[in-house]
Amino acid sequence: MANLGQPKNTIEIIQKYQFVFSKKYGQNFLIDTHVLDKIIAAASITDQDCVLEIGPGIGTMTQCLAEHAKTVIAVEIDRALIPILEDTLGGYPNVTVIHGDILKTDVCALTKQYNAGNPIKVVANLPYYITTPIIMGLFDNHVPLESLTVMVQKEVANRMQAAPGTKDYGALSLAVQYYATPYLVANVPPNCFMPRPRVGSAVIRLTRHTEPPVQVADEKLLFQLIRASFHERRKLLSNGLYNSPELSFTKEEILQAYNIAGLPEKVRGETLSLEQFAALSNAFVLN
Ligand code: SAM
């Protein structure tokens, strides 16, 4: 099968099937073989791996994955792409294409069915309109994962790996870093895609921690505190916590928890590390 990472081969398939790109599905297909190679290398795909690809498009990356992995499961929402994938992936018996919405797919069940419940690798050029729900959905649902190597909007990659006190630091940085270690693989310009996206892109690898870097008595509370503190970013953390619709602590309880966690009264959420959020959340539980 002709390498779809070559622009002329992608154009040929698009024309053969008279495929019309859909903006609502975030369709920007990769047309750069170097970027494809970088993604495969960064994900360290071996012939032992079961890989989940989210949004295979016309199968460009799927073909590369199939050549390196044991098994590839590809979930694609756009019905118009299914016959194209049957064509482009026909020569790869280790690929299963599933027509469906990844946000409604039981990925844990797929890992059981295709990898005996063992950790899988996720590799994808993600549809940018749902990057965060896809990634957080995989983590929150405790899908057995080794790593995610994904193309995302450049700004989102920056937020995922941001450190406390920087402008990009926020709830996404903390959530991602609670579950995984981020590593920026490469920045990718718009001309590597067809059609070109309006934003810059980046490949980021998130390697799942075997143990969370902090121990918390109540994980749900940790994430409620994180959300509350970035909801009103410029305000004092104590106000954010007090005003949060998700929390019902009194001002006294908040100050007591601050004391136990060793936080100053006038602290802002954007300066707190994951360790400090964990200490605060444990302080509320102990209180
Ligand atoms: N992997 C292909 C490539 O690199 O050329 C296509 C990537 S394109 C950025 C995103 C793909 O995700 C599209 O094929 C789109 O139809 C698909 N997609 C969008 N929303 C989806 C969803 N909710 N579930 C599954 N696939 C989705």
Coordinates of all heavy atoms in Angstrom, one line a residue, residues 124-183:
A124 N -2.1 9.0 18.8 CA -3.2 9.6 18.0 C -2.8 11.0 17.6 O -2.0 11.7 18.4 CB -4.5 9.7 18.9
N125 N -3.3 11.4 16.5 CA -3.3 12.8 16.1 C -4.7 13.3 16.5 O -5.7 13.0 15.7 CB -3.0 12.9 14.6 CG -3.2 14.3 14.0 OD1 -3.3 15.3 14.7 ND2 -3.3 14.3 12.7
L126 N -4.9 13.8 17.6 CA -6.2 14.0 18.2 C -7.0 15.1 17.5 O -6.5 16.1 17.0 CB -6.1 14.4 19.7 CG -5.6 13.3 20.7 CD1 -5.4 13.9 22.1 CD2 -6.6 12.1 20.7
P127 N -8.4 14.9 17.5 CA -9.3 15.9 17.1 C -9.2 17.0 18.3 O -9.6 16.7 19.4 CB -10.6 15.3 17.1 CG -10.5 14.0 17.8 CD -9.1 13.6 17.9
Y128 N -8.7 18.2 17.9 CA -8.4 19.2 19.0 C -9.6 19.7 19.8 O -9.5 20.1 20.9 CB -7.7 20.4 18.3 CG -6.3 20.1 17.8 CD1 -5.7 21.0 17.0 CD2 -5.7 18.9 18.0 CE1 -4.4 20.8 16.5 CE2 -4.5 18.6 17.5 CZ -3.8 19.5 16.7 OH -2.6 19.2 16.2
Y129 N -10.8 19.6 19.2 CA -12.0 20.1 19.9 C -12.3 19.3 21.1 O -13.1 19.7 22.0 CB -13.2 20.2 19.0 CG -13.9 18.9 18.6 CD1 -15.1 18.5 19.1 CD2 -13.2 18.0 17.7 CE1 -15.7 17.3 18.7 CE2 -13.8 16.8 17.3 CZ -15.1 16.5 17.9 OH -15.6 15.3 17.5
I130 N -11.8 18.1 21.3 CA -12.1 17.3 22.4 C -10.8 16.7 23.1 O -10.9 15.6 23.7 CB -13.1 16.1 22.1 CG1 -12.7 15.4 20.8 CG2 -14.5 16.6 22.1 CD1 -13.5 14.1 20.5
T131 N -9.7 17.4 22.9 CA -8.4 16.8 23.5 C -8.6 16.5 25.0 O -8.2 15.4 25.4 CB -7.3 17.9 23.3 OG1 -7.2 18.1 21.9 CG2 -6.0 17.4 23.9
T132 N -9.0 17.5 25.8 CA -9.0 17.3 27.2 C -10.0 16.2 27.6 O -9.6 15.4 28.4 CB -9.3 18.7 27.9 OG1 -8.3 19.6 27.5 CG2 -9.2 18.6 29.4
P133 N -11.3 16.3 27.2 CA -12.1 15.2 27.6 C -11.6 13.8 27.2 O -11.8 12.8 28.0 CB -13.5 15.4 26.9 CG -13.3 16.7 26.2 CD -12.0 17.3 26.4
I134 N -10.9 13.7 26.1 CA -10.4 12.3 25.7 C -9.3 11.9 26.7 O -9.4 10.8 27.3 CB -9.8 12.3 24.3 CG1 -10.9 12.5 23.2 CG2 -9.0 11.1 24.0 CD1 -10.3 12.6 21.8
I135 N -8.4 12.8 26.9 CA -7.2 12.4 27.8 C -7.7 12.2 29.2 O -7.4 11.2 29.9 CB -6.1 13.5 27.7 CG1 -5.5 13.4 26.3 CG2 -5.0 13.2 28.7 CD1 -4.4 14.4 26.0
M136 N -8.5 13.1 29.8 CA -9.0 13.0 31.1 C -9.9 11.8 31.3 O -9.9 11.1 32.3 CB -9.6 14.3 31.6 CG -8.7 15.4 31.8 SD -7.0 15.1 32.3 CE -7.3 14.4 34.0
G137 N -10.7 11.5 30.2 CA -11.6 10.3 30.3 C -10.8 9.0 30.4 O -11.1 8.2 31.2
L138 N -9.6 8.9 29.7 CA -8.8 7.7 29.8 C -8.2 7.6 31.2 O -8.2 6.5 31.8 CB -7.7 7.8 28.7 CG -8.1 7.7 27.3 CD1 -7.0 8.0 26.3 CD2 -8.7 6.3 26.9
F139 N -7.7 8.7 31.7 CA -7.1 8.7 33.1 C -8.2 8.4 34.1 O -8.0 7.5 35.0 CB -6.4 10.0 33.4 CG -5.1 10.1 32.7 CD1 -4.7 11.4 32.2 CD2 -4.2 9.1 32.5 CE1 -3.5 11.5 31.5 CE2 -3.0 9.2 31.9 CZ -2.6 10.4 31.4
D140 N -9.3 9.2 34.1 CA -10.3 9.1 35.2 C -11.0 7.7 35.2 O -11.3 7.3 36.3 CB -11.4 10.2 35.0 CG -10.8 11.6 35.3 OD1 -9.7 11.7 35.8 OD2 -11.5 12.6 34.9
N141 N -11.1 7.1 34.0 CA -11.7 5.8 34.0 C -10.8 4.7 34.3 O -11.1 3.5 34.1 CB -12.4 5.6 32.7 CG -13.6 6.5 32.5 OD1 -14.3 6.8 33.4 ND2 -13.8 7.1 31.3
H142 N -9.5 5.0 34.6 CA -8.5 4.1 35.0 C -8.3 3.0 33.9 O -8.2 1.8 34.2 CB -8.8 3.4 36.4 CG -8.8 4.4 37.5 ND1 -7.7 5.0 38.0 CD2 -9.9 5.0 38.1 CE1 -8.0 5.9 38.9 NE2 -9.3 5.9 39.0
V143 N -8.2 3.5 32.7 CA -7.9 2.6 31.6 C -6.5 2.1 31.8 O -5.6 2.9 32.0 CB -8.1 3.3 30.2 CG1 -7.5 2.5 29.1 CG2 -9.5 3.7 30.0
P144 N -6.2 0.8 31.6 CA -4.8 0.3 31.8 C -4.0 0.9 30.6 O -4.2 0.6 29.5 CB -4.9 -1.2 31.7 CG -6.4 -1.5 31.7 CD -7.2 -0.3 31.4
L145 N -3.1 1.8 31.0 CA -2.3 2.6 30.0 C -0.9 2.6 30.3 O -0.5 2.7 31.5 CB -2.7 4.1 30.1 CG -4.0 4.6 29.5 CD1 -4.1 6.1 29.8 CD2 -4.0 4.3 28.0
E146 N 0.0 2.4 29.3 CA 1.4 2.6 29.5 C 1.8 4.0 29.2 O 2.5 4.7 29.9 CB 2.1 1.6 28.6 CG 3.4 1.2 29.1 CD 4.0 0.1 28.2 OE1 3.3 -0.9 27.9 OE2 5.2 0.3 27.8
S147 N 1.3 4.5 28.0 CA 1.6 5.9 27.6 C 0.6 6.3 26.6 O -0.1 5.6 26.0 CB 3.0 5.9 27.0 OG 3.1 5.1 25.9
L148 N 0.6 7.7 26.5 CA -0.2 8.3 25.4 C 0.8 9.2 24.6 O 1.5 10.0 25.2 CB -1.2 9.3 26.0 CG -2.4 8.7 26.7 CD1 -2.3 8.9 28.1 CD2 -3.6 9.5 26.2
T149 N 0.9 9.0 23.3 CA 1.8 9.8 22.5 C 0.8 10.5 21.5 O 0.3 9.8 20.6 CB 2.8 9.0 21.8 OG1 3.5 8.2 22.8 CG2 3.8 9.9 21.1
V150 N 0.6 11.8 21.7 CA -0.5 12.4 21.0 C -0.1 13.8 20.4 O 0.6 14.5 21.0 CB -1.8 12.6 21.9 CG1 -2.5 11.3 22.1 CG2 -1.4 13.2 23.2
M151 N -0.7 14.0 19.3 CA -0.6 15.4 18.7 C -1.7 16.2 19.2 O -2.9 15.8 19.2 CB -0.8 15.2 17.1 CG -0.7 16.6 16.4 SD 1.0 17.0 16.0 CE 1.3 15.8 14.7
V152 N -1.3 17.4 19.8 CA -2.3 18.3 20.3 C -2.0 19.7 19.9 O -0.9 19.9 19.3 CB -2.4 18.2 21.9 CG1 -2.8 16.8 22.4 CG2 -1.0 18.6 22.5
Q153 N -2.9 20.6 20.2 CA -2.6 22.0 19.9 C -1.4 22.4 20.8 O -1.3 22.0 21.9 CB -3.9 22.8 20.3 CG -3.9 24.1 19.7 CD -5.3 24.8 20.0 OE1 -6.3 24.2 20.1 NE2 -5.2 26.1 20.3
K154 N -0.5 23.2 20.2 CA 0.7 23.6 20.9 C 0.4 24.2 22.3 O 1.1 23.9 23.3 CB 1.4 24.6 20.0 CG 2.6 25.3 20.6 CD 3.9 24.4 20.5 CE 5.1 25.0 21.2 NZ 5.4 24.5 22.5
E155 N -0.6 25.1 22.4 CA -0.9 25.7 23.7 C -1.3 24.7 24.7 O -1.0 24.8 25.9 CB -2.1 26.7 23.6 CG -1.7 28.0 23.0 CD -1.4 27.9 21.5 OE1 -1.9 27.0 20.8 OE2 -0.6 28.8 21.0
V156 N -2.0 23.6 24.3 CA -2.4 22.6 25.2 C -1.2 21.8 25.7 O -1.1 21.4 26.9 CB -3.5 21.7 24.5 CG1 -3.9 20.5 25.4 CG2 -4.7 22.5 24.2
A157 N -0.3 21.5 24.8 CA 0.9 20.8 25.2 C 1.7 21.6 26.2 O 2.2 21.1 27.2 CB 1.8 20.6 24.0
N158 N 1.7 23.0 26.0 CA 2.4 23.8 27.0 C 1.7 23.8 28.3 O 2.4 23.7 29.4 CB 2.4 25.3 26.5 CG 3.3 25.5 25.3 OD1 4.1 24.7 25.0 ND2 3.1 26.6 24.6
R159 N 0.4 23.7 28.3 CA -0.3 23.7 29.6 C -0.1 22.4 30.3 O 0.0 22.3 31.5 CB -1.8 23.9 29.4 CG -2.2 25.4 29.2 CD -3.5 25.7 28.6 NE -4.6 24.9 29.1 CZ -5.7 24.6 28.4 NH1 -5.8 25.1 27.2 NH2 -6.6 23.9 28.9
M160 N 0.0 21.3 29.6 CA 0.2 20.0 30.2 C 1.5 19.9 31.0 O 1.5 19.2 32.0 CB 0.1 18.9 29.1 CG -1.3 18.6 28.6 SD -1.2 17.3 27.4 CE -2.8 17.3 26.8
Q161 N 2.5 20.5 30.4 CA 3.8 20.4 31.1 C 4.2 21.6 31.9 O 5.4 21.7 32.4 CB 4.9 20.0 30.1 CG 4.9 20.9 28.9 CD 6.2 20.8 28.1 OE1 7.0 19.9 28.3 NE2 6.4 21.7 27.2
A162 N 3.3 22.5 32.1 CA 3.6 23.8 32.8 C 3.9 23.5 34.3 O 3.4 22.7 35.0 CB 2.5 24.8 32.7
A163 N 4.8 24.4 34.8 CA 5.2 24.3 36.3 C 4.4 25.4 37.0 O 4.0 26.4 36.5 CB 6.7 24.5 36.4
P164 N 4.3 25.2 38.4 CA 3.6 26.2 39.2 C 4.1 27.6 39.0 O 5.3 27.8 38.8 CB 3.8 25.7 40.6 CG 4.2 24.3 40.5 CD 4.8 24.1 39.2
G165 N 3.2 28.6 39.0 CA 3.6 30.0 39.0 C 3.8 30.5 37.6 O 4.0 31.7 37.3
T166 N 3.7 29.6 36.5 CA 3.9 30.1 35.2 C 2.5 30.4 34.6 O 1.5 29.9 35.1 CB 4.6 29.1 34.3 OG1 3.8 27.9 34.3 CG2 6.0 28.7 34.8
K167 N 2.5 31.1 33.4 CA 1.2 31.6 32.9 C 0.3 30.4 32.4 O -0.9 30.4 32.4 CB 1.3 32.6 31.9 CG 1.8 32.1 30.5 CD 1.8 33.3 29.5 CE 2.3 32.9 28.1 NZ 2.5 31.5 27.7
D168 N 1.0 29.3 32.0 CA 0.3 28.2 31.4 C -0.2 27.2 32.5 O -0.9 26.2 32.1 CB 1.2 27.4 30.4 CG 1.4 28.2 29.2 OD1 0.5 29.0 28.7 OD2 2.6 28.1 28.6
Y169 N 0.2 27.4 33.7 CA -0.1 26.4 34.8 C -1.6 26.5 35.1 O -2.1 27.6 35.2 CB 0.7 26.8 36.0 CG 0.7 25.8 37.1 CD1 1.1 24.5 36.9 CD2 0.3 26.1 38.4 CE1 1.1 23.6 38.0 CE2 0.3 25.2 39.4 CZ 0.7 24.0 39.2 OH 0.7 23.1 40.3
G170 N -2.2 25.3 35.2 CA -3.6 25.3 35.6 C -4.1 23.9 35.9 O -3.3 23.0 36.1
A171 N -5.4 23.8 35.9 CA -6.0 22.5 36.3 C -5.5 21.3 35.4 O -5.3 20.2 35.9 CB -7.5 22.6 36.3
L172 N -5.4 21.6 34.1 CA -4.9 20.6 33.2 C -3.5 20.1 33.5 O -3.2 18.9 33.5 CB -5.0 21.0 31.7 CG -4.6 20.0 30.7 CD1 -5.6 18.8 30.7 CD2 -4.5 20.6 29.3
S173 N -2.6 21.1 33.9 CA -1.2 20.7 34.2 C -1.2 19.8 35.4 O -0.5 18.7 35.4 CB -0.4 21.9 34.6 OG -0.8 23.1 34.0
L174 N -2.0 20.1 36.4 CA -2.0 19.3 37.6 C -2.7 17.9 37.4 O -2.1 16.9 37.9 CB -2.8 20.0 38.7 CG -2.0 21.2 39.4 CD1 -2.9 22.3 39.9 CD2 -1.1 20.6 40.5
A175 N -3.7 17.9 36.6 CA -4.4 16.6 36.4 C -3.5 15.7 35.6 O -3.3 14.5 35.9 CB -5.7 16.9 35.6
V176 N -2.9 16.2 34.5 CA -2.0 15.4 33.7 C -0.8 14.9 34.5 O -0.4 13.7 34.5 CB -1.5 16.2 32.5 CG1 -0.3 15.6 31.8 CG2 -2.6 16.3 31.4
Q177 N -0.2 15.8 35.3 CA 1.0 15.5 36.1 C 0.7 14.6 37.3 O 1.6 13.9 37.8 CB 1.7 16.7 36.5 CG 2.3 17.5 35.3 CD 2.8 18.9 35.6 OE1 3.3 19.2 36.7 NE2 2.7 19.8 34.6
Y178 N -0.6 14.5 37.7 CA -0.9 13.6 38.8 C -0.9 12.2 38.2 O -0.5 11.2 38.9 CB -2.4 13.9 39.2 CG -2.9 12.9 40.3 CD1 -2.4 12.9 41.6 CD2 -3.8 12.0 39.9 CE1 -2.9 12.0 42.5 CE2 -4.3 11.1 40.9 CZ -3.8 11.1 42.2 OH -4.3 10.2 43.1
Y179 N -1.3 12.0 36.9 CA -1.3 10.7 36.3 C -0.1 10.3 35.6 O 0.2 9.1 35.4 CB -2.5 10.6 35.4 CG -3.9 10.6 36.0 CD1 -4.7 11.7 35.9 CD2 -4.3 9.5 36.8 CE1 -6.0 11.7 36.5 CE2 -5.5 9.5 37.4 CZ -6.4 10.6 37.3 OH -7.6 10.6 37.9
A180 N 0.7 11.3 35.0 CA 1.7 10.9 34.1 C 2.9 11.9 34.1 O 2.7 13.0 34.6 CB 1.1 10.9 32.7
T181 N 4.0 11.5 33.4 CA 5.1 12.4 33.2 C 5.0 12.9 31.8 O 5.1 12.1 30.8 CB 6.4 11.7 33.4 OG1 6.4 11.1 34.7 CG2 7.6 12.6 33.3
P182 N 4.9 14.2 31.6 CA 4.8 14.7 30.2 C 6.2 15.0 29.6 O 7.1 15.3 30.3 CB 4.1 16.1 30.3 CG 4.1 16.4 31.7 CD 4.6 15.3 32.6
Y183 N 6.3 14.7 28.3 CA 7.6 15.0 27.6 C 7.2 15.5 26.2 O 6.5 14.9 25.4 CB 8.4 13.7 27.5 CG 9.6 13.8 26.5 CD1 10.7 14.5 26.9 CD2 9.5 13.2 25.3 CE1 11.8 14.6 26.0 CE2 10.6 13.4 24.4 CZ 11.7 14.1 24.8 OH 12.8 14.2 23.9

